Amino acid sequence: MKKRLVFIAAVWTVWLAGCNGQTDRYAIEGYVVRKEGGSILVVSSDPQDFRSTGGIEEFYNAILVSNAPARVKIGQKVRVWIDEGIAESYPGQGKAGKVLVVPSAPRDGASLLEEEVIRQALKKEAIGLQHMIPVIRAVQYDKQADTWTLRVKDAHGRTEFDVRIKDG
């Protein structure tokens, strides 16, 4: 299973590296789940299905992006363009050419934004997340309960759980 994941990551990485000349297409869109120094870990929420080529059913693209702007925060959804290709690893590694923050839209009745809720959830679950690549699968707000529910999954597929955050 691990060999398959590494193979799929390598194929994906080579494909992305080949597309490096396309400045109009970003390499990844996903949530910033970690930030350390000038690097951010961006993980896509949309799985790719590689079963037709002998791979896994749910592969989540993840890239450790260096040279990220200081203004980018954990919890934000971003689009990242990569300079100089992506290293063959999982998560992939590359230098940011451009990082665009996708603004969080306010939810009806909620005082928190989606990015703030994700940031709180990742802090709340920090101990369990140290050895995994967290995928933000879903973010929902229940107006009547005044509560957010995040569905978080380990990119390696071992664990999936909900985190609840009270709004305001």
Side-chain angles (χ1 to χ4, degrees):
M1 176 75 166
K2 189 174 181 179
K3 285 182 181 180
R4 236 184 228 172
L5 183 60
V6 170
F7 173 75
I8 295 299
V11 169
W12 178 245
T13 301
V14 169
W15 179 80
L16 284 174
C19 295
N20 193 34
Q22 295 180 352
T23 57
D24 61 332
R25 180 76 179 136
Y26 50 86
I28 188 170
E29 177 178 278
Y31 290 102
V32 177
V33 296
R34 285 197 189 110
K35 182 174 182 178
E36 196 170 307
S39 295
I40 56 175
L41 177 59
V42 180
V43 182
S44 175
S45 294
D46 300 319
Q48 295 177 307
D49 185 346
F50 288 108
R51 288 179 294 176
S52 65
T53 58
I56 60 176
E57 181 178 351
E58 284 186 41
F59 174 77
Y60 295 91
N61 192 15
I63 302 176
L64 182 61
V65 180
S66 65
N67 199 39
R71 66 177 165 69
V72 176
K73 299 177 188 171
I74 292 175
Q76 291 180 317
K77 185 176 244 186
V78 295
R79 289 184 184 146
V80 180
W81 287 259
I82 299 293
D83 279 348
E84 303 171 20
I86 299 173
E88 293 184 25
S89 60
Y90 190 79
Q93 298 176 36
K95 182 179 174 186
K98 176 179 166 185
V99 178
L100 174 71
V101 175
V102 179
S104 290
R107 303 281 176 102
D108 185 34
S111 59
L112 296 173
L113 291 174
E114 181 178 278
E115 69 183 63
E116 296 169 313
V117 172
I118 294 170
R119 197 166 25 258
Q120 285 185 29
L122 292 174
K123 280 183 187 176
K124 183 177 181 179
E125 297 296 323
I127 294 171
L129 298 177
Q130 289 174 344
H131 302 290
M132 66 184 275
I133 297 174
V135 177
I136 308 299
R137 299 262 303 168
V139 182
Q140 298 175 336
Y141 175 67
D142 181 340
K143 187 175 179 177
Q144 289 188 345
D146 197 29
T147 303
W148 292 82
T149 303
L150 277 74
R151 188 77 180 151
V152 181
K153 179 176 181 157
D154 179 3
H156 299 296
R158 293 185 296 260
T159 339
E160 191 165 349
F161 55 92
D162 289 336
V163 179
R164 287 184 175 64
I165 302 289
K166 192 77 175 153
D167 191 67

